[in-house]
């Protein structure tokens, strides 16, 4: 039996939701990873889902983009229930959602330019080579790595790969960006740079972001609101300052 | 695993590969057509396999001639050596041995390449950007294996006959024009066409199985190695099964 969730502070939804999850459940065999999970991501907001390793954060984000099929529940993304979409409609909706993988997932047989062009060429078929070049340079300029244009991913450092992965995510100008552990495995300085870049991106493109993380420094810098995921449920919710003051021992554990 | 579990696993795997092949036929006619990637795969799969296929074909023809000579000499029909070799090479040895070498080289490389793309989330990255990785990765490779193997088999057959010509001349003195006349004099429509048609099926099976094992690779680097290994094992066995079916079909249709 899962324990009853203890809501600490409930933040009020002030804007239109771009993602609304209701009663989401996902299990692998006997292991119930998510149960009765609810979440709302508002327009222009940076929402962090905080949880221990193995708590189901990555499962949640993969259900939102439908890399994993949920067992039950609804996931409304930009007004469409992603669970019900057919393959074509799903691909159309996915163009509006960027996904930054924990391991970056750069195409290692392609140069940085080809990595960035790959989604562009397949979705914006009518753009000229000149326009494609312009968009690629704009994306690289956003992450400050124009000089890597013709390099292979293996020639880049961990931080540079993360930036290129973010540039590839940004190139289709998504409305929502899902970040899966964006600073895990990076040194503190690079982690800070990536966190600042995420905020810059949000301000420049007015994106809404769902950030999966347990890096408290990154969370403090980026989060407008935090959801604590525990035992497959939304255990607590609030701003960083509100949760930091919480007397609940489970929540306090994260902030100590 | 006991016998019933093994049987169940066999039919489950066979069903999954069949469904994967059906997905190929559904996707192959749909735009966008990945022409550049298809041409690149033809180069990698076809052109870069030429040295290996040529060498094995040459050795096959030479060794077969040397091995067969004593038996034919015993019956006083040594002069039939070119005719017998050509029938054996065109009908059976050329297609099957080339397909097995091809399965070892290409089946394993497709299994390992797609497997490592799967475990490093590169295929997931294509999916979440709505770019249809099945079309880009699977359709292009299966088409390339299906079209390149028949060409490689024809080249291997020709090189094997050249090896045989050299083999004949180790202990004899046969002119190239006489050798050529004997080869073309014995070969009929029923020797060449059915054998050529079955190579398309060999190529298709090797491509589908290699892609299936790589595309569904799991469990990290160990899973990648296992995918590559299983791609070779299953496609090699499938080559023999198709060969068995093909010989029955040609027999029933009186094409022998």
């Amino acid at each position: 039996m899962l324990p009853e969730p203890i809501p600490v502070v409930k933040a009020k939804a002030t804007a239109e939701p771009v993602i609304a999850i209701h009663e989401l459940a996902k299990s692998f065999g006997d292991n119930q990873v998510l149960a009765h999970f609810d979440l709302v991501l508002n327009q222009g907001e940076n929402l962090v889902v905080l949880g221990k390793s193995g708590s189901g954060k990555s499962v949640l984000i993969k259900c939102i983009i439908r890399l994993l099929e949920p067992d039950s529940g609804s996931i409304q993304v930009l007004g469409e229930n992603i669970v019900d979409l057919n393959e074509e409609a799903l691909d159309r909706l996915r163009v509006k959602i960027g996904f930054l993988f924990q391991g970056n997932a750069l195409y290692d047989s392609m140069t940085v330019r080809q990595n960035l062009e790959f989604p562009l060429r397949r979705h914006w078929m009518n753009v000229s080579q000149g326009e494609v070049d312009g968009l690629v340079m704009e994306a690289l300029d956003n992450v400050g790595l124009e000089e890597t244009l013709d390099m292979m991913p293996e020639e880049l450092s961990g931080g540079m790969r993360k930036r290129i992965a973010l540039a590839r995510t940004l190139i289709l100008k998504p409305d929502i960006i899902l970040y899966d552990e964006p600073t895990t495995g990076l040194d503190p300085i690079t982690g800070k740079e990536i966190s600042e870049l995420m905020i810059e991106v949000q301000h420049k493109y007015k994106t809404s972001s769902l950030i999966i993380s347990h890096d408290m420094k990154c969370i403090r810098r980026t989060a407008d609101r935090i959801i604590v995921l525990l035992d497959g449920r939304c255990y607590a919710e609030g701003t960083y300052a509100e949760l930091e003051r919480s007397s609940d021992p489970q929540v306090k554990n994260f902030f100590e | 695993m006991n016998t019933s579990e093994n049987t169940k696993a066999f039919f489950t795997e066979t069903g999954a590969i069949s469904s994967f092949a059906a997905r190929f036929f559904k996707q192959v006619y749909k735009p966008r057509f990945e022409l550049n990637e298809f041409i690149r795969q033809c180069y990698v799969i076809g052109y870069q396999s030429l040295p290996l296929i040529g060498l094995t074909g040459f050795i096959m023809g030479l060794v077969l001639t040397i091995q067969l000579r004593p038996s034919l000499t015993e019956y006083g029909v040594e002069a039939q050596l070119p005719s017998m070799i050509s029938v054996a090479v065109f009908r059976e040895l050329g297609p099957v041995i080339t397909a097995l070498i091809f399965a070892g080289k290409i089946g394993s490389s497709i299994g390992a390449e797609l497997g490592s793309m799967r475990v490093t989330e590169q295929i997931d990255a294509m999916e979440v950007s709505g770019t249809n990785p099945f079309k880009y990765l699977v359709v292009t490779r299966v088409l390339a294996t299906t079209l390149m193997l028949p060409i490689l088999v024809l080249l291997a057959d020709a090189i094997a006959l050249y090896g045989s010509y050299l083999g004949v001349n180790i202990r004899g003195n046969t002119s190239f024009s006489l050798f050529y006349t004997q080869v073309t004099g014995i070969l009929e429509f029923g020797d060449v066409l059915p054998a050529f048609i079955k190579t398309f099926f060999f190529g298709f099976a090797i491509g589908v199985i290699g892609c299936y094992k790589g595309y569904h690779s799991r469990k990290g680097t160990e899973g990648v190695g296992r995918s590559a290994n299983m791609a070779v094992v299953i496609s090699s066995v499938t080559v023999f099964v198709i060969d068995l079916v093909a010989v029955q079909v040609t027999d029933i249709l009186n094409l022998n």
Side-chain angles (χ1 to χ4, degrees), chain A residues 7-14 40 42 45-50 216 218-228 234-247 251-252 254-255:
Chain A
V8 178
V9 179
K10 283 275 179 188
K12 283 183 183 172
T14 50
V40 171
N42 296 310
E45 183 184 33
N46 271 356
L47 172 64
V48 169
V49 177
L50 170 65
M216 298 311 292
C218 167
I219 293 170
R220 192 173 56 204
R221 287 189 192 104
T222 54
D224 295 326
R225 186 161 60 95
I226 301 169
I227 280 179
V228 179
C234 173
Y235 183 80
E237 187 180 341
T239 62
Y240 187 92
E242 286 165 348
L243 292 181
E244 196 178 24
R245 289 196 302 270
S246 169
S247 57
V251 177
K252 273 174 80 175
F254 288 105
F255 291 84

Side-chain angles (χ1 to χ4, degrees), chain A residues 62 65 67 87-88 91 94-95 97 99 101-103 105-110 118-119 121-123 125 168 172, chain B residues 23 26-27 30 32 34 37 40 113 116-118 120-133 136:
Chain A
K62 284 179 179 172
I65 197 80
L67 276 176
E87 211 172 301
E88 284 81 21
D91 280 349
R94 278 171 166 172
V95 176
I97 311 168
F99 193 112
F101 285 85
Q102 184 178 351
L106 293 175
Y107 310 133
D108 53 16
S109 61
M110 302 181 196
F118 189 84
R121 289 254 169 240
R122 278 150 192 85
H123 290 297
M125 287 181 229
R168 189 179 65 184
L172 290 176
Chain B
R23 194 174 165 195
K26 260 172 68 181
Q27 295 274 345
K30 282 187 189 171
R32 134 188 187 125
E34 299 282 357
E37 178 62 9
R40 194 178 78 86
E113 187 186 8
S116 68
M117 287 187 77
R118 171 61 77 189
T120 54
E121 295 182 312
Q122 291 177 55
I123 295 179
D124 288 345
M126 287 183 185
E127 267 180 44
V128 300
S129 61
T131 48
N132 196 346
Y136 180 77

Side-chain angles (χ1 to χ4, degrees), chain A residues 11-216:
Chain A
K12 283 183 183 172
T14 50
E16 194 184 336
V18 288
I19 296 178
I21 297 175
H22 182 60
E23 289 286 310
L24 180 66
K26 178 69 187 173
S27 59
F28 298 94
D30 295 334
N31 181 19
Q32 184 82 41
V33 180
L34 296 171
H36 308 292
F37 184 85
D38 294 334
L39 174 150
V40 171
L41 171 67
N42 296 310
Q43 173 73 49
E45 183 184 33
N46 271 356
L47 172 64
V48 169
V49 177
L50 170 65
K52 291 186 288 187
S53 296
S55 60
K57 304 188 298 293
S58 291
V59 171
L60 166 68
I61 207 169
K62 284 179 179 172
C63 284
I64 293 173
I65 197 80
R66 233 179 90 185
L67 276 176
L68 290 172
E69 295 289 340
D71 297 338
S72 61
S74 77
I75 304 173
Q76 295 282 335
V77 180
L78 299 168
E80 292 187 83
N81 189 355
I82 203 161
V83 180
D84 296 335
L85 297 180
N86 63 25
E87 211 172 301
E88 284 81 21
L90 180 62
D91 280 349
R92 279 197 300 275
L93 184 59
R94 278 171 166 172
V95 176
K96 299 174 190 168
I97 311 168
F99 193 112
L100 186 70
F101 285 85
Q102 184 178 351
N104 306 320
L106 293 175
Y107 310 133
D108 53 16
S109 61
M110 302 181 196
T111 63
V112 167
R113 180 203 295 268
Q114 288 166 334
N115 263 277
L116 297 177
E117 282 184 357
F118 189 84
L120 267 185
R121 289 254 169 240
R122 278 150 192 85
H123 290 297
W124 297 356
M125 287 181 229
N126 297 327
V127 293
S128 67
Q129 183 60 46
E131 287 170 297
V132 168
D133 289 345
L135 288 163
V136 167
M137 289 316 291
E138 182 192 336
L140 284 177
D141 179 50
N142 282 330
V143 297
L145 285 175
E146 296 96 320
E147 72 280 6
T148 61
L149 187 65
D150 293 314
M151 290 168 82
M152 298 298 287
E154 65 188 17
E155 298 173 78
L156 306 173
S157 68
M160 288 162 96
R161 280 182 211 174
K162 186 67 78 182
R163 285 166 178 268
I164 297 298
L166 183 55
R168 189 179 65 184
T169 305
L170 288 174
I171 202 153
L172 290 176
K173 311 262 193 299
D175 297 330
I176 304 166
I177 302 181
L178 309 176
Y179 294 93
D180 189 4
E181 310 269 12
T183 55
T184 301
L186 299 176
D187 63 83
I189 298 167
T190 311
K192 185 182 172 202
E193 287 171 1
I194 296 295
S195 304
E196 285 165 357
L197 194 56
M198 288 161 64
I199 297 166
E200 271 177 43
V201 163
Q202 187 205 12
H203 289 156
K204 186 168 179 183
Y205 293 103
K206 313 288 179 218
T207 53
S208 315
S209 306
L210 184 66
I211 303 159
I212 300 295
S213 185
H214 50 60
D215 174 359
M216 298 311 292

